[in-house]
């Protein structure tokens, strides 16, 4: 079956290479490789291919689970792909909370019927009752991304537990894509720690600034992990040797310091960007992480017109909200701004957008 084009990736492909400032990257600024030992020894596959037991165990601890309930992947992108292949079959039904990262509904669309349940504008709150209404007897999976890309909304623990109960009461799984979770100052417990119906995916990409490692994981019940491993034999076999080698160093001791550094950086950039947005009369929704979904300023037809003007006249890439439009929902009145980049680049990018405005 065909898969929809990934609208955001297509937009980036058009502009990212030649632009001067990338103000639409969703994660925190990248760390230099020389912060780590980058010599993993021989360049064979990672063996065992699901990740070394000590690495899986370190990841599993965050979920109150054992090493056998974690599989290491090539980024969260692969973890989500494996999750969908493992938990969904033709004839099933999935409920996806939107707007969100496109793979979270585009991949399920290729397998079964999918119902989108939108967050409530303008503060993007989670409508647990609407998810419950959308659930059917054949619903196998409810999908949520928390904190949310593109809105930066962080759903609180009570809402997430209520969502878990909706899935569990229907004998379905709740999949939490939690790649931004550790960018919350006080993160909600991960979905995979909530019970046997909880599955979490995450990675080192966004919260640590290590996207190039392509290191992620899926954590959840053993049967889901076993099925994900079966699929992984046909996708990437093992994580990358470099990614796994650096991930081990993160989990063996650096994680807390790296996270603290990232949080401090995001705090500073958050303030700068909030002040900038307010200065232009744009509502600031106080996002968690380094993505914010702002209204398109007056004077532009829609998000695409605004973002095209900004990139063509000022060399700054923003993400048009229509990349997140799905089903009958339209987000072309918004644009996503990513403020995780180095602070001097952020200031430069915002100043250039000032020029356009
Ligand atoms: C919600 C979400 N999930 C997954 C991914 C993919 O992350 P990774 O680099 O770990 O594959 C992204 C990337 O932007 C994302 O925003």
């Amino acid at each position: 079956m065909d898969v929809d084009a990934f609208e955001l990736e297509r937009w980036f492909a058009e502009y990212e290479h030649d632009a001067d400032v990338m103000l639409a990257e969703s994660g925190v600024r990248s760390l230099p490789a020389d912060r780590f030992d980058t010599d993993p020894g021989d360049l064979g596959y990672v063996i065992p291919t699901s990740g070394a037991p000590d690495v899986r165990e370190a990841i599993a601890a965050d979920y109150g689970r054992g090493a056998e309930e974690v599989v290491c992947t090539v980024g969260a992108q692969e973890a989500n792909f494996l999750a969908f292949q493992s938990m969904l079959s033709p004839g099933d039904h999935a409920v996806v909370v939107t707007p969100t990262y496109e793979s979270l509904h585009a991949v399920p669309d290729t397998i079964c019927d999918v119902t989108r349940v939108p967050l409530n504008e303008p503060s993007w709150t989670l409508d647990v009752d609407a998810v419950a209404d959308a659930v059917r007897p054949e619903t196998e999976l409810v999908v949520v991304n928390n904190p949310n890309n593109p809105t930066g909304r962080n759903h609180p623990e009570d809402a997430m537990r209520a969502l878990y109960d909706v899935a569990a009461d229907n004998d379905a799984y709740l999949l939490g894509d939690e790649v931004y979770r550790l960018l919350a100052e006080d993160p909600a417990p991960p979905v995979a720690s909530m019970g046997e119906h909880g599955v979490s995916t995450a990675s080192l990409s966004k919260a640590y600034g290590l996207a190039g490692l392509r290191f992620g994981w899926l954590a959840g019940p053993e049967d889901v992990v076993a099925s994900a491993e079966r699929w992984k034999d046909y996708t990437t076999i093992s994580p990358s040797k470099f990614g796994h080698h650096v991930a081990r160093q993160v989990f063996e001791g650096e994680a807390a310091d790296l996270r603290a550094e990232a949080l401090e950086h995001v705090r500073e950039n958050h303030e700068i960007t909030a002040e900038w947005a307010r200065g232009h009369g744009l509502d600031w929704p106080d996002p968690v992480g380094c993505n914010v979904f702002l209204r398109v300023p007056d004077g532009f037809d829609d998000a695409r017109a605004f973002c095209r003007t900004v990139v063509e006249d000022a060399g700054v890439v923003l993400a048009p909200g229509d990349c997140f439009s799905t089903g009958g929902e339209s987000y072309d009145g918004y644009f996503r701004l990513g403020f995780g980049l180095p602070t001097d680049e952020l200031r430069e990018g915002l100043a250039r957008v000032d020029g356009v405005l």
Side-chain angles (χ1 to χ4, degrees), residues 95-97 152 155 191-192 200 211 215 218 226 240 257 292 309 316-317 336:
V95 179
V96 181
V97 178
H155 308 303
V191 166
S200 290
F215 186 88
L218 176 150
S240 96
D257 289 347
V292 64
T309 305
V316 176
V317 181
R336 192 187 77 186

Side-chain angles (χ1 to χ4, degrees), residues 6 8-9 12 25-27 73-80 100-104 144-150 177-180 201-206 210-212 214-217 291 324 336:
F6 203 127
L8 187 62
E9 290 298 335
F12 286 162
E25 178 51 64
S26 58
T73 59
V74 177
Q77 186 80 297
E78 187 191 23
N80 287 327
T100 194
Y101 190 59
E102 198 168 338
S103 5
L104 298 181
V144 68
N145 167 218
N146 194 42
N148 175 255
N149 170 9
D177 175 326
E178 296 167 337
V179 292
Y180 302 103
T201 52
S203 71
L204 296 181
S205 296
K206 308 294 174 180
L210 295 171
R214 309 306 304 126
F215 186 88
W217 58 88
N291 286 307
F324 296 91
R336 192 187 77 186

